[in-house]
């Protein structure tokens, strides 16, 4: 399919702009002007619409395909959420920052305040900031809050401890916040090795980061002990909320001893993934960390009005321009109030049920490195299929031909040729059964006719792209 | 009977699944969680129907002042958004997909982001772009961190004319690192060239400027780029994309890294987000770029296709040594930006920029006539700085009551600036609206 | 007659008198997959044994390369920077990375002989 630039014809326009109703201004001096207009596309609205409509049809998406991408929680995105977001499109963030402006933004400020309270209750924390713009951004913000906390106490800490099963954003975020990383291996029982963890802890550790359930989909029963050990060494504990979908209403990270959490609104709270964002990563803290929260902070005054608190000297500052990805938060807020208490509990129960059902039905055919009750996702290894030369990537490509977006492959790194399946609660038994049947067939084909797997996918516009060529040539901008 | 519109399994189906798993009820699946770790309370209110939810959200939106005439910027701008942007980015195949990890079934997203990268390169006049960052402010921070990596040095110089929000975010990002941040106070609404020159030496990794700056002043940083390069440091410029329909591009000035906020490109105000940050740089710096990058390649049959590339820079491979921790970016917002740029097109962006400037110059000429008011005499695009005879806060507050957001009162952000206001005029403001605004100002200043 | 030694991180060093030529082994190159980028050290820079000397990237992985011995870099093989695929084609010959002036030959005792390295590979 051609690039939009290849379809451009000089002089074509895509939209009619308003005519000016004021006189033309004298031009700026040449030294301030660009020499030539930027070489942007020149197409009619028809061409533009056809181009992007046809592009969209080259995507698999939740609305078109079962999308069991582990760790990403690809649940159904309710259309009502899209409808309510547009109600807030015209509001300018600066209005709230003007003198007396917050009075004109009681709706939006109140919603953010309320969302913070709801998330605080769900996670068992004392206060939530909605400013971080993505999960990883929340992680970085959270580690910075921990750094500020230690600095205020005059403690110089050096390390952040993470399990080797952690998502890459955990060590990356800690490094961005100025810490060195200590990695603790996962034991054979699927959780962070307790002995090695105790050995790794010392007075120079600022924080321990954990995901619970972990990236293997397993709940670590020693999690409170881990928090206690961390605290006894003067370290704080960070909860990566990527897997919160498994435990809403069942467990609150705050009650386990976590000091800081982030949640992923685009995972657990049903906002769309957007082809790679926008997401949102609100961060919750225990009260000791409230003084360090980023600004602006929304508070409720004695009259019940929502105000922006004046900048406090202890705050870490700002992690984003304004209040965070407001348009994403509207959707998450609507999702939470629509589902309510019983709805969120049902989400976690059904997510866990669906994952365990897949696990039971597929374990005769794929190696299950941790054969125990999982939570909302299960991790297989393609080790049996490797005996016939079939890798996890080949299974993934074959599934595409059958109309499935493949599960996550090669993560977590600690499982050989990992296949991580997270069905989510929004899928029916019928969908799961069809997927299971195909996965069983794949196991059979891998054994009897592996060659058939290496040609996949055959039904897509392109097949087995040369990633080496892409990395070596670094062609990231159309030269046409 | 449980609701099955989002969680489809009926009690019958649930029973079947439980029996396959070998447990009696769903609660048994939570057995690995020790009883003492179970939530003590869960206090959320009960749920409601879709209809009631819409009603509630309409009520909340209604608590905000609905009609507001925007003469304010501060980093977010009230621009037109062609209808195609909503319709096309609203296609579910785009917005319910995720990161294109499996390229064969994500060529829609991948090609669109490649086209987006191309658009950013052409707008900024630089060689390489990524597939978006979170917003303009964090993009400034990421660019600074990129410069620290490239040069191996640990000092950043900030022009105080850069948005206070961007500067604050940058300082937050760097607060726990062994990095020095030096700010140069503005001189008459522009960069203090002399003071900056005095600070340039081989300890400096980068200098960050903004064009147009927070006061609306437009500059040419070509000479500055030469000075910065003479000490082997990098010049980073935060730029306003609509202005690039007219203004000298960062690439033409010799800037090394250009960043900015893409909200003005097809993304609604939406009380501050989501938008997207863009970053573009000279080709030599590509390995140090943060975030996702889409590259062109061919498939096994020689057909052109697009893939995530140079992934070895990213967190899922390099972990703590990654160029950034960024995972999800702002894909859909970048797509909106691309559709916007495609819709207005090459000449359209130039026309749009012209409209913005014409309207702003008209407003300027009217405001200048008000008694006791002067306007900063620097070249401007669609924002300009006004000196009022009384504190700007009061004036802004009065106009707010009338449904007019008059501009950004600088006293909050800069010293000795209580009487200073930065006014923005975009193509959406009609002559009539501008006249209404000027009249309201006049009344406020006379009282 | 030059001697070859191997490190547990899969570097090899071919010692010729006072100079050692360094690269990565066939095993490492195979594990990385298609190499897309190599960052070589600067000539004249001093390294201690097991310091990070160079970096190598493939499509799906990134690795550090460690100095097998202490010493100063006397030359680097820019062919490998220009054509990273050389590492996959000839990791133990044409894709040598740097030549290092060996400070202390005694440090070689901390490395493995060819036979020891072969045995080591079997344990992985």
């Amino acid at each position: 399919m051609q690039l939009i630039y290849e379809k451009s014809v000089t002089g074509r326009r895509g939209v009619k702009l308003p005519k000016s109703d004021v006189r033309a201004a004298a031009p700026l001096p040449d030294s301030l002007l660009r020499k030539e207009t930027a070489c942007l596309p020149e197409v009619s609205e028809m061409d533009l619409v056809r181009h992007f409509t046809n592009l969209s049809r080259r995507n698999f998406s939740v609305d078109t395909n079962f999308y069991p991408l582990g760790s990403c929680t690809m649940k159904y995105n309710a259309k009502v959420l899209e409808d309510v977001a547009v109600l807030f499109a015209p509001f300018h963030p600066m209005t709230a920052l003007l003198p007396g402006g917050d009075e004109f933004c009681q709706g939006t400020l109140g919603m953010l305040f309320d969302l913070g309270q709801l998330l605080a209750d769900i996670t068992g924390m004392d206060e939530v900031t909605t400013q971080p713009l993505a999960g990883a951004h929340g992680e970085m913000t959270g580690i910075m809050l921990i750094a500020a906390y230690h600095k205020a106490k005059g403690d110089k800490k050096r390390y952040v401890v993470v399990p080797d099963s952690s998502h890459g954003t955990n060590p990356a975020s800690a490094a961005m916040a100025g810490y060195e990383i200590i990695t603790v291996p996962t034991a054979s029982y699927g959780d962070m090795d307790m002995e090695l963890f105790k050995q790794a802890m010392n007075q120079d550790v600022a924080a321990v980061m954990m995901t619970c359930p972990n990236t293997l989909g397993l709940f670590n029963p020693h999690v409170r002990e881990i928090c206690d050990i961390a605290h006894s060494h003067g370290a704080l504990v960070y909860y990566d909320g990527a897997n919160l979908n498994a435990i809403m209403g069942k467990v609150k990270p705050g009650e386990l001893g976590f000091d800081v959490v982030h949640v992923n609104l685009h995972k657990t709270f049903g906002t769309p993934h957007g082809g790679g964002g926008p997401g949102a990563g609100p961060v919750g803290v225990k009260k000791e960390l409230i003084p360090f929260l980023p600004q602006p902070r929304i508070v409720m005054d004695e009259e019940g009005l929502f105000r922006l608190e004046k900048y406090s000297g202890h705050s870490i500052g700002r992690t984003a321009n304004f209040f965070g990805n407001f348009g994403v938060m509207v959707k998450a807020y609507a999702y939470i109030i629509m589902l309510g208490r019983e709805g969120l509990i049902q989400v976690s129960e059904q997510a866990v049920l669906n994952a365990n059902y897949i696990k039971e039905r597929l374990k005769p055919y794929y190696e299950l490195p941790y054969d125990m009750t999982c939570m909302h996702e299960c991790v297989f290894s393609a080790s049996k299929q490797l005996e016939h030369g079939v890798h996890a990537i080949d299974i993934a490509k074959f599934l595409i031909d059958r109309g499935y977006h493949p599960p996550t492959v090669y993560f977590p790194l600690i499982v050989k040729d990992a296949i991580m399946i997270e069905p989510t609660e929004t899928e029916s038994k019928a969908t799961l059964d069809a997927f299971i049947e195909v996965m069983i067939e794949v196991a059979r084909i891998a054994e009897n006719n592996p060659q058939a797997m290496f040609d996949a996918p055959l039904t897509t516009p392109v097949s087995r792209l040369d990633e080496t060529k892409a990395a070596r040539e670094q062609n990231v901008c159309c030269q046409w | 009977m449980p609701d099955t519109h989002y969680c489809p399994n009926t009690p019958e189906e649930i029973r079947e699944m439980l029996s396959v798993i070998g447990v009696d009820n769903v609660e048994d699946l939570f057995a690995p969680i020790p009883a003492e770790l179970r939530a003590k309370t869960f206090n959320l209110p009960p749920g409601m129907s879709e209809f009631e939810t819409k009603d509630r959200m309409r009520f909340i939106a209604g608590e905000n002042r609905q009609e507001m005439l925007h003469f304010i910027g501060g980093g977010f701008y009230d621009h037109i958004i062609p209808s195609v942007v909503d319709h096309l980015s609203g296609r579910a195949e785009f917005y319910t997909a995720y990161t294109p990890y499996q390229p064969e079934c994500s060529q829609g997203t991948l090609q669109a982001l490649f086209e987006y990268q191309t658009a950013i390169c052409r707008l900024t006049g630089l060689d390489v772009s990524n597939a978006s960052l979170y917003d303009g402010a964090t993009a400034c921070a990421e660019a600074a961190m990129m410069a620290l990596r490239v040069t191996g040095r640990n000092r950043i110089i900030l022009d105080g004319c850069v948005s206070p929000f961007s500067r604050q975010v940058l300082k937050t990002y760097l607060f726990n690192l062994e990095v020095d941040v030096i700010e140069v106070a503005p001189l008459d609404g522009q960069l203090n060239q002399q003071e900056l020159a005095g600070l340039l030496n081989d300890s400096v990794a980068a200098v960050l400027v903004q064009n147009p700056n927070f006061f609306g002043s437009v500059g040419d940083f070509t000479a500055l780029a030469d000075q910065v390069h003479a000490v082997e440091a990098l010049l980073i410029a935060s730029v306003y994309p609509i202005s690039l329909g007219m203004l000298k591009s960062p690439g033409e000035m010799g800037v090394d890294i250009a960043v900015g906020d893409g909200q003005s490109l097809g993304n609604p105000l939406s009380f501050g987000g989501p938008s997207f940050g863009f970053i573009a740089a000279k080709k030599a710096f590509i390995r140090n770029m943060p975030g996702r990058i889409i590259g062109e390649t061919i498939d096994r049959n020689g057909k052109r296709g697009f893939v995530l590339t140079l992934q070895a820079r990213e967190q899922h491979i390099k972990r703590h040594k990654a160029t950034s921790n960024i995972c999800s970016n702002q894909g859909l917002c970048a797509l909106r930006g691309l559709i916007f740029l495609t819709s207005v097109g090459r000449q359209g962006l130039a026309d749009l920029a012209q409209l913005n400037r014409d309207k702003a110059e008209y407003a300027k000429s009217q405001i200048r006539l008000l008694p006791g008011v002067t306007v900063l005499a620097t070249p401007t695009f669609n924002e300009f700085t006004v000196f009022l005879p009384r504190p700007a806060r009061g004036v802004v507050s009065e106009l707010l009551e009338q449904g007019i957001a008059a501009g950004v009162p600088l006293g909050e952000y800069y010293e000795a600036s209580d009487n200073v206001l930065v006014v923005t005029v975009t193509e959406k403001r009609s002559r009539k609206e501008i006249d209404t605004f000027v009249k309201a100002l006049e009344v406020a200043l006379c009282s | 007659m030059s001697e070859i030694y191997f490190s547990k991180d899969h570097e090899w060093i071919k010692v010729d008198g006072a100079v050692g030529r360094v690269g990565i082994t066939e095993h490492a190159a195979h594990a990385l997959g298609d190499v897309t980028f190599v960052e070589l050290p600067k000539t004249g820079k001093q390294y201690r044994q097991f310091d990070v000397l160079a970096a190598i990237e493939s499509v799906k992985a990134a690795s550090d390369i460690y100095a097998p011995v202490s010493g100063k870099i006397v030359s680097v093989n820019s062919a490998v920077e220009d054509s990273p695929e050389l590492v996959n084609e000839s990791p133990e010959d044409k894709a040598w990375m740097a030549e290092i002036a060996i400070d202390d030959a005694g440090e070689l005792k901390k490395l493995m002989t060819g036979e020891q390295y072969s045995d080591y590979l079997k344990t992985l």
Side-chain angles (χ1 to χ4, degrees):
Chain A
M1 190 169 147
Q2 281 185 310
L3 293 168
I4 193 72
Y5 304 96
E6 293 163 339
K7 295 179 182 175
S8 295
V9 173
T10 308
R12 280 227 237 280
R13 295 225 188 202
V15 74
K16 182 173 178 176
L17 293 173
K19 280 196 173 37
S20 180
D21 55 1
V22 297
R23 62 179 173 269
L28 288 165
D30 275 346
S31 62
L32 298 179
L33 300 176
R34 63 187 302 147
K35 297 239 170 340
E36 266 191 346
T37 49
C39 187
L40 294 172
E42 295 180 87
V43 292
S44 68
E45 187 170 321
M46 172 87 270
D47 288 340
L48 185 165
V49 168
R50 271 213 188 108
H51 180 80
F52 288 102
T53 304
N54 282 312
L55 268 186
S56 78
R57 296 171 78 208
R58 292 182 157 219
N59 267 6
F60 277 19
S61 62
V62 172
D63 273 18
T64 51
N65 310 76
F66 178 43
Y67 210 120
L69 198 62
S71 164
C72 298
T73 313
M74 305 298 296
K75 65 172 77 182
Y76 169 66
N77 306 122
K79 300 315 167 205
V80 61
L81 306 183
E82 301 304 304
D83 283 352
V84 300
V86 296
L87 298 170
F88 298 84
F91 302 135
H92 200 305
M94 284 301 295
T95 310
L97 297 172
L98 293 178
D102 46 15
E103 276 188 41
F104 298 108
C105 304
Q106 288 297 299
T108 47
L109 292 178
M111 194 208 86
L112 286 174
F113 184 85
D114 215 11
L115 176 64
Q117 301 227 298
L118 289 168
L119 291 174
D121 191 274
I122 292 169
T123 56
M125 307 304 284
D126 296 326
E127 189 168 320
V128 168
T129 170
T130 59
Q131 205 177 60
L133 303 166
H137 202 212
E139 290 171 45
M140 191 194 74
T141 302
I143 297 298
M144 283 185 182
L145 290 169
I146 292 174
Y149 168 86
H150 288 304
K151 253 193 179 155
K153 292 176 74 196
D155 291 331
K156 183 114 186 76
K157 306 276 189 181
R158 264 181 82 179
Y159 302 106
V160 168
V161 170
V162 303
D164 62 2
S165 60
S166 73
H167 194 263
T169 49
N170 287 183
S173 301
M176 270 182 98
Y179 288 109
E180 293 169 58
I181 311 302
I182 297 177
T183 308
V184 179
T186 299
S188 60
Y189 44 85
D191 295 315
M192 188 162 69
D193 188 309
M194 283 301 278
E195 279 319 305
L196 294 176
F197 168 64
K198 287 176 192 165
Q199 286 170 33
M201 284 305 296
N202 58 57
Q203 295 299 323
D204 282 328
V205 173
V208 178
M209 296 177 85
M210 285 189 64
T211 311
C212 192
N214 67 16
T215 59
L216 295 163
L218 304 173
F219 190 94
N220 186 342
H222 302 291
V223 59
R224 185 176 271 154
E225 203 190 319
I226 291 171
C227 291
D228 290 341
I229 293 171
H231 290 143
S232 71
H233 285 90
L236 297 187
V237 200
Y238 181 94
Y239 175 80
D240 178 333
N243 290 337
L244 191 66
N245 210 46
I247 57 169
M248 287 191 288
K250 306 292 186 189
V251 178
K252 294 188 181 184
E255 289 176 2
L256 301 177
F258 286 97
D259 303 289
V260 187
V261 315
H262 89 266
V263 295
N264 299 66
L265 299 187
H266 49 298
K267 295 187 180 188
T268 318
F269 298 100
T271 74
H273 288 75
V283 168
V285 297
K286 291 286 172 64
K287 60 179 179 317
E288 293 76 30
L289 290 156
I290 290 176
F292 308 104
L293 286 175
Q295 303 286 310
R297 181 174 166 237
I298 302 166
V299 296
M300 188 165 73
D301 69 14
E302 314 84 54
E303 290 158 47
L305 291 173
F306 302 101
R307 300 260 176 237
L308 293 177
E309 189 189 57
K310 284 246 167 287
Y311 190 88
S312 104
H314 295 287
S315 161
I316 57 171
R318 252 176 223 276
T319 58
N321 265 325
F322 303 111
F323 309 101
N325 278 341
F326 187 84
V328 174
M329 289 191 280
V330 176
K331 299 180 191 182
Y333 180 77
Y335 179 83
I336 293 171
I337 65 173
M338 184 168 61
L339 265 62
R341 183 182 185 280
E342 70 284 2
L344 291 180
I345 293 174
Q346 186 190 20
V347 162
S348 289
E349 289 181 348
Q350 293 302 304
V352 169
L353 173 66
N354 280 355
N356 276 284
Y357 178 68
I358 291 186
K359 177 179 70 71
E360 269 322 294
R361 296 240 4 234
L362 287 182
K363 78 178 193 194
Y365 306 95
Y366 293 90
E367 191 210 329
L368 187 63
Y370 303 95
D371 190 357
M372 50 187 84
T373 304
C374 64
M375 298 226 75
H376 65 310
E377 61 195 4
C378 54
V379 179
F380 289 97
S381 164
S383 58
K384 281 189 192 166
Q385 289 70 31
L386 271 169
E387 290 166 24
H388 305 281
V390 173
H391 294 257
I393 195 72
D394 301 309
I395 295 173
K397 302 303 181 192
F398 190 87
L399 286 171
I400 293 174
D401 275 338
R402 293 308 177 90
Y404 292 102
H405 189 285
T408 298
V409 288
Y410 302 105
F411 180 77
L413 302 170
I414 55 172
V415 171
K416 183 153 182 56
D417 270 55
I419 301 174
M420 188 199 289
I421 302 173
E422 183 185 354
T424 82
E425 74 285 359
T426 57
E427 302 295 341
S428 67
K429 180 172 178 292
T431 304
L432 301 185
D433 284 337
F435 175 71
I436 287 164
E437 287 310 314
V438 170
M439 286 294 284
I440 293 173
E441 191 192 335
V442 165
R444 230 168 260 142
I445 296 174
E447 200 182 319
N448 300 324
N449 182 18
Q451 188 57 47
M453 309 221 33
F454 304 137
D455 295 332
L458 296 166
T459 57
T460 47
V462 291
S463 177
R464 304 277 184 154
L465 289 150
D466 188 343
E467 298 191 19
T468 305
K469 183 181 168 76
R472 286 185 183 157
E473 293 180 11
Q474 297 158 33
N475 197 348
V476 304
C477 172
C478 169
Q479 300 305 315
W480 184 87
Chain B
M1 185 68 181
D3 290 322
T4 54
H5 56 302
Y6 296 140
C7 298
N9 293 328
T10 61
E12 168 75 33
E13 289 172 319
I14 293 172
R15 264 194 299 277
E16 278 178 55
M17 293 165 78
L18 288 172
S19 97
V20 165
I21 296 169
V23 295
D24 293 323
N25 43 52
V26 175
E27 250 325 290
D28 294 344
L29 297 173
F30 291 89
I33 304 177
E36 65 272 19
L37 300 184
R38 295 291 295 264
K40 311 250 178 313
T41 54
F42 192 42
N43 287 330
L44 261 55
M48 51 178 103
S49 70
E50 186 185 278
F51 168 72
E52 290 158 310
T53 303
K54 271 197 267 206
D55 238 16
R56 177 103 195 100
M57 299 310 292
R58 263 192 286 266
F59 173 79
I60 292 173
E63 297 278 278
N64 269 33
R65 182 166 190 140
Q66 298 298 303
E67 295 306 315
M68 194 72 89
L69 204 53
H70 293 304
F71 285 94
I72 191 169
F76 260 47
Y77 299 92
D78 186 16
H79 286 291
I80 58 181
I81 300 178
S83 292
V84 290
V85 178
D86 279 343
H87 282 268
L88 293 168
S89 67
R91 285 187 67 86
E93 296 96 323
F94 277 135
Y95 81 84
T96 70
Y98 197 26
T99 307
Y101 292 121
Q102 295 291 346
E104 288 95 339
C105 56
S106 330
Q107 285 299 296
T109 296
L110 286 163
Q111 181 170 330
L113 289 175
F114 181 83
E115 293 176 357
Y116 156 83
Q117 286 171 187
T118 302
I120 296 296
C121 287
R122 291 173 179 193
L123 257 189
T124 59
L126 287 165
D127 308 316
V128 296
S129 160
N130 82 353
S132 80
L133 294 171
Y134 303 137
D135 69 0
T138 59
C140 288
E142 292 272 10
M145 295 181 87
M146 193 170 145
L148 294 169
R149 280 194 296 277
V150 166
T151 60
R153 300 173 179 178
N154 61 0
R155 177 172 292 168
I156 302 285
I157 302 183
L158 292 183
D159 178 359
C161 304
V162 169
S163 152
F165 306 128
S166 300
R167 283 182 287 124
Q168 274 177 32
V169 169
L170 189 151
K171 282 187 275 192
T172 298
Y173 264 62
L174 300 178
F175 98 91
N176 201 39
L177 302 178
E178 302 289 315
V179 177
D180 228 356
V181 178
I182 302 181
E183 282 193 47
V184 175
L187 182 62
D188 299 328
Q190 288 179 304
L191 170 65
N192 186 333
Q193 314 251 14
Q194 216 176 358
E195 193 183 322
L196 178 65
L199 291 167
L200 283 178
N201 57 44
D202 61 14
S203 71
V204 174
V207 174
L208 172 65
V209 296
Q210 181 177 311
N211 197 41
N213 66 22
F214 199 69
F215 312 111
S217 304
V218 173
D220 178 6
F221 295 102
T222 310
L224 177 63
D226 289 337
Q227 289 178 311
V228 170
H229 293 148
V231 298
E232 291 179 9
L234 302 186
L235 182 58
I236 306 170
S238 173
V239 290
Y240 175 5
I242 301 286
S243 78
L244 289 176
M246 172 187 288
L247 301 181
K248 194 172 200 177
S249 71
E252 285 171 300
M253 292 183 193
V255 164
D256 299 287
I257 306 172
V259 291
D261 201 294
Q263 177 272 325
S264 54
L265 304 175
N267 285 281
L269 295 166
S270 195
F271 206 61
S275 71
F276 67 92
F278 58 87
I279 185 168
K282 290 182 177 160
K283 190 150 175 96
F285 305 129
I286 192 173
R287 297 207 106 76
N288 274 294
M289 293 268 273
R292 305 218 163 101
I293 298 180
I294 315 301
E296 184 182 316
T297 186
I298 55 175
D299 80 345
R300 56 151 44 115
N301 300 313
K303 276 171 104 182
R304 179 176 67 185
F306 302 94
V307 288
L308 286 170
T309 193
L310 297 178
Q311 291 188 68
R313 294 162 305 119
E314 296 186 68
Q315 47 76 27
H316 54 290
I317 290 177
K318 269 240 174 88
R319 293 173 71 89
H320 63 283
K321 293 190 185 164
T323 53
S324 169
N325 68 342
I326 189 169
C327 185
S328 280
N329 46 9
Q330 304 283 105
L332 199 73
C333 303
L335 174 67
R336 291 181 68 103
L338 170 67
I339 297 172
F340 173 88
L341 288 170
T342 304
S343 173
V344 304
R346 179 172 194 163
Q347 189 53 47
L349 188 68
D351 293 345
L352 197 61
Q354 193 63 55
L355 262 176
N356 271 261
R357 182 143 191 282
D358 290 347
K359 302 262 191 178
E361 289 297 298
Y362 171 73
K364 209 196 258 186
S365 70
Q366 301 302 103
I367 289 174
R368 223 185 231 127
L369 299 174
L370 298 177
V373 171
T374 54
V375 174
L376 183 67
T378 54
T380 57
F381 173 62
N382 69 357
E383 287 184 301
F384 52 92
T385 297
V386 180
F387 299 96
L388 302 171
R390 52 173 273 228
R393 285 182 63 87
V395 174
V396 166
S397 192
E398 282 169 44
L399 261 65
L400 213 49
E401 298 280 337
Q402 298 165 49
I404 302 175
V408 180
L410 285 190
E412 294 276 319
Y413 308 106
Y414 291 93
E415 305 240 312
S417 301
D418 286 345
N419 289 20
V420 192
L421 183 69
V422 177
V423 174
T424 306
V425 187
T426 69
E427 75 284 355
K428 278 179 79 172
R429 300 288 78 83
S430 68
R431 186 199 188 102
K432 192 149 170 269
E433 285 171 342
I434 297 171
D435 290 341
T436 302
F437 167 53
V438 176
K439 189 84 189 128
L441 260 182
E442 185 176 24
V443 169
L445 291 175
C446 286
S447 56
Chain C
M1 213 332 239
S2 55
E3 302 163 329
I4 310 183
Y5 299 89
F6 297 85
S7 74
K8 65 171 178 51
D9 289 312
H10 311 290
E11 289 97 16
W12 55 263
I13 175 167
K14 202 177 267 177
V15 179
D16 223 323
V19 171
R21 185 174 267 203
V22 177
I24 65 166
T25 65
E26 178 72 57
H27 173 94
H30 182 79
L32 277 169
D34 289 336
V35 174
T36 53
F37 178 69
V38 182
E39 188 180 10
L40 296 176
K42 290 207 170 30
T43 318
K45 196 159 177 220
Q46 176 74 26
Y47 290 88
R48 285 172 314 182
Q49 189 178 35
F50 306 136
D51 267 358
V52 174
L53 180 74
I56 188 163
E57 280 173 24
S58 68
V59 170
K60 296 287 189 211
S63 238
D64 285 327
I65 297 168
Y66 304 93
V69 293
S70 310
K72 200 184 280 197
I73 305 295
V74 292
S75 70
V76 296
N77 183 6
S78 52
V80 148
E81 276 177 333
D82 299 333
S83 310
E85 56 271 24
L86 217 51
V87 177
N88 297 108
E89 287 163 25
S90 173
E92 297 184 17
D93 181 16
K94 293 208 185 72
W96 63 273
M97 295 188 181
E99 285 178 327
I100 186 165
I102 303 173
D103 282 348
D104 174 10
E107 281 181 342
L108 294 169
K109 291 201 197 71
K110 294 199 192 129
L111 304 172
M112 294 179 260
T113 63
E115 210 181 295
Q116 288 170 328
Y117 180 65
S118 295
D119 290 338
Y120 168 62
L121 285 181
K122 295 196 187 94
T123 69
L124 293 177

